[in-house]
Amino acid sequence: MGYEVVIGLETHVELSTESKLFCSCGGHGKGSEPNDCVCPACCGMPGMLPVVNRQALELAIKAGFMLNCKINQYTTFDKKSYYYPDLPAAYQTTQWFHPICVEGLVDVEVDGEIRQIGIKQIHVEEDAGKLVHTNDSSLVDYNRTSVPLIEIVTKPDFRSAKEVISYLKALKSKLQFAGISECEEGAMRCDINISVRPEGSDQLGVRTEIKNMSSLTSIEEAINKESVRHIDAIERGTETLTQGTRRWDDVKKRTFPMRDKETAADYRYFPDPNVMPIVIDDEWLNQIRASMPQTADAQVERYVGLGLSAKEANALVAESNIATLLDKVMDRGIDIKTAAGWILTDCLGILKRNNIAVKDLSLDDSKLAWIIKATADGTITRNAGKKVLSAVILDNVDPEKFCGDNNLTAQNDLEAIKAVVAKAIEQNPNAVADYKSGKEKAIGAIFGAAMRELRGTASPDIINKTLLELLNQ
Ligand code: ADP
Ligand code: MG
Ligand code: ZN
């Protein structure tokens, strides 16, 4: 008999807020020392009252828009009680009764086919701290405590590991694109709920939950291994399947039981009396909707409409920082073709030669615009423009000052160019003789000498023209 694998995901991502969920501690939980971004509120001291971070709610709502959810305009925070040393208050503040977003849908592409995955809900909650184990003790670091997260819960709609991987990639790019989360390496953590059932059945099978997975390779392996374990248990009676949480062992390549499944009753969920229910009015919702960035597809379409090729547009949109740079440079009056050329050819070339990832490019749009304009109006040559660009990207120099300091400003002074070219002619009598006897190529030596002398500050065209003029006089 054939079996169908059924998977539902719970994915945690950190929101890109300035401060924690209920206090003003900053730093995203990344202190330079343990426990140096904490305060009495996030350390769970008695009597401290939480203040909800408005930005965290906005980012969660944006996530809801990205995943086509309905936004609950009445939303609450609730206490989930459990004891563990990394949780100083002995409860986590999360959303249980009225999560902020519900009933979404996201398209997932596998082998050219689109499948729709339902989103059950998105809720906001605080992260826990971290335990650091040494040889003879365990230490707690509360820096991460109360950093805002969203948990995105799907319906049990996945049918293969491939669909899950494709979903996670799409999710990451959507969240990054809309500035909701940086989704740093390893920071998107998933709980994978998995069951199997006979093909054609519409009943859900007994599920297990593999906790805290972040690498895509391990996620794929874990799903494939765990589904085989389920099928063996059912077909061959190798073991009895029970609902429970498991952990993936990346060395042994199998899952191990962690604990029996807790039920909601174990957590004693109840409304947090310290946080008032939140009403999201239409005005606020509309403001957030208006601040949503364009989707990637729409952005590609816009660039193509403005004259770029589909290839250029896709290359720009693939990395949000260079697409933003393009928009800003265009806002400074530079046409899209020219701007895209400088970004895709010159900037990316410099990055590649210096082994810098595109996402790490930080280039001030005003500096790039200055270079493009200075090149276009002849203040500097194209060649000098490239040199300045490289110095701006690598050392963030001021382009105008750099040109002055390095004598890169184009010699518009024709007399000066003429003098340099004349000198080059004088110093290369053999080449001149060759040229005059019909070997046109011999001119290259003289041209090169003049170029070197002018150090790329005069355009090759002008040098060439001057040279021919002088030789043919
Ligand atoms: P709980 O409250 O016990 O965590 P949820 O209903 O919130 O249960 O489901 C948690 C996740 O498990 C969701 O992503 C859901 O789609 C998934 N899920 C539920 N039942 C199954 C099942 N039988 N097989 C696979 N995934 C499931
Ligand atoms: Mg759950
Ligand atoms: Zn704090």
Side-chain angles (χ1 to χ4, degrees), residues 9-10 80 96 120-121 123 151 153 191 193 207 209 211 261 267 269:
L9 285 194
E10 296 162 286
K80 176 180 181 177
W96 178 255
K120 182 184 170 200
Q121 67 179 56
H123 56 264
E151 178 174 340
V153 184
D191 300 337
N193 296 268
R207 71 165 139 140
E209 179 174 358
K211 285 294 214 191
K261 178 76 189 166
Y267 290 124
Y269 286 103

Side-chain angles (χ1 to χ4, degrees), residues 206-260:
V206 173
R207 71 165 139 140
T208 51
E209 179 174 358
I210 311 168
K211 285 294 214 191
N212 222 355
M213 303 287 292
S214 59
S215 120
L216 293 183
T217 321
S218 306
I219 289 173
E220 189 161 3
E221 283 176 335
I223 290 174
N224 292 331
K225 280 292 174 82
E226 184 69 0
S227 53
V228 168
R229 192 180 71 84
H230 280 227
I231 295 170
D232 282 350
I234 296 169
E235 286 267 286
R236 302 201 265 126
T238 43
E239 58 184 308
T240 314
L241 282 181
T242 49
Q243 190 175 336
T245 54
R246 304 180 71 86
R247 84 187 156 79
W248 170 250
D249 188 319
D250 225 353
V251 177
K252 301 205 174 79
K253 304 284 177 207
R254 53 163 290 205
T255 65
F256 287 91
M258 285 169 72
R259 53 176 190 256
D260 290 342

Side-chain angles (χ1 to χ4, degrees), residues 424-437 442-443 446 471:
I425 291 174
E426 204 184 294
Q427 287 172 344
N428 289 281
N430 294 343
V432 175
D434 286 348
Y435 174 76
K436 297 220 154 144
S437 69
I443 200 174
I446 314 169
L471 285 175

Side-chain angles (χ1 to χ4, degrees), residues 58-355:
E58 286 186 2
L59 293 176
I61 292 169
K62 284 188 170 185
F65 286 145
M66 290 304 284
L67 304 180
N68 306 300
C69 291
K70 185 174 151 270
I71 311 301
N72 268 337
Q73 288 181 258
Y74 176 89
T75 186
T76 59
F77 281 93
D78 308 293
K79 289 188 174 189
K80 176 180 181 177
S81 303
Y82 66 96
Y83 178 75
Y84 201 68
D86 67 4
L87 189 70
Y91 63 83
Q92 178 194 33
T93 306
T94 178
Q95 298 197 287
W96 178 255
F97 295 104
H98 301 278
I100 193 157
C101 313
V102 292
E103 288 167 38
L105 260 189
V106 45
D107 281 349
V108 164
E109 191 182 323
V110 173
D111 300 332
E113 261 185 58
I114 304 279
R115 286 218 44 227
Q116 289 201 315
I117 304 297
I119 302 293
K120 182 184 170 200
Q121 67 179 56
I122 303 175
H123 56 264
V124 180
E125 62 186 27
E126 49 180 358
D127 205 349
K130 193 170 90 179
L131 293 184
V132 182
H133 303 285
T134 66
N135 279 341
D136 53 2
S137 59
S138 289
L139 305 167
V140 281
D141 177 0
Y142 289 149
N143 280 346
R144 293 198 52 79
T145 307
S146 210
V147 164
L149 309 174
I150 44 175
E151 178 174 340
I152 304 159
V153 184
T154 74
K155 296 190 174 156
D157 285 351
F158 299 99
R159 297 292 174 263
S160 69
K162 271 189 174 174
E163 289 177 6
V164 169
I165 301 299
S166 170
Y167 162 83
L168 288 171
K169 286 184 178 164
L171 187 62
K172 181 173 173 179
S173 85
K174 282 179 201 291
L175 296 176
Q176 284 177 332
F177 180 70
I180 296 163
S181 171
E182 296 185 6
C183 297
E184 292 171 316
E185 206 60 44
M188 261 177 100
R189 287 167 285 156
C190 299
D191 300 337
I192 307 168
N193 296 268
I194 180 163
S195 63
V196 301
R197 63 184 175 194
E199 255 165 29
S201 159
D202 57 4
Q203 307 278 308
L204 286 172
V206 173
R207 71 165 139 140
T208 51
E209 179 174 358
I210 311 168
K211 285 294 214 191
N212 222 355
M213 303 287 292
S214 59
S215 120
L216 293 183
T217 321
S218 306
I219 289 173
E220 189 161 3
E221 283 176 335
I223 290 174
N224 292 331
K225 280 292 174 82
E226 184 69 0
S227 53
V228 168
R229 192 180 71 84
H230 280 227
I231 295 170
D232 282 350
I234 296 169
E235 286 267 286
R236 302 201 265 126
T238 43
E239 58 184 308
T240 314
L241 282 181
T242 49
Q243 190 175 336
T245 54
R246 304 180 71 86
R247 84 187 156 79
W248 170 250
D249 188 319
D250 225 353
V251 177
K252 301 205 174 79
K253 304 284 177 207
R254 53 163 290 205
T255 65
F256 287 91
M258 285 169 72
R259 53 176 190 256
D260 290 342
K261 178 76 189 166
E262 304 84 357
T263 62
D266 294 329
Y267 290 124
R268 306 189 312 282
Y269 286 103
F270 66 95
D272 188 335
N274 293 329
V275 188
M276 295 297 284
I278 292 151
V279 174
I280 301 160
D281 61 22
D282 290 344
E283 195 191 335
W284 190 21
L285 205 56
N286 287 336
Q287 259 173 29
I288 299 170
R289 191 177 280 120
S291 72
M292 291 295 288
Q294 270 189 321
T295 65
D297 289 350
Q299 203 174 5
V300 167
E301 217 167 274
R302 177 164 66 90
Y303 289 158
V304 170
L306 289 171
L308 292 189
S309 71
K311 192 175 165 204
E312 290 168 321
N314 278 306
L316 283 155
V317 173
E319 302 278 355
S320 61
N321 62 332
I322 56 173
T324 308
L325 180 62
L326 177 78
D327 285 337
K328 287 188 178 167
V329 171
M330 277 158 56
D331 284 346
R332 292 179 180 273
I334 290 164
D335 76 277
I336 189 166
K337 271 277 182 202
T338 310
W342 277 88
I343 293 173
L344 290 173
T345 309
D346 299 290
C347 293
L348 296 196
I350 292 166
L351 295 180
K352 195 166 179 199
R353 282 193 292 283
N354 291 281
N355 268 325

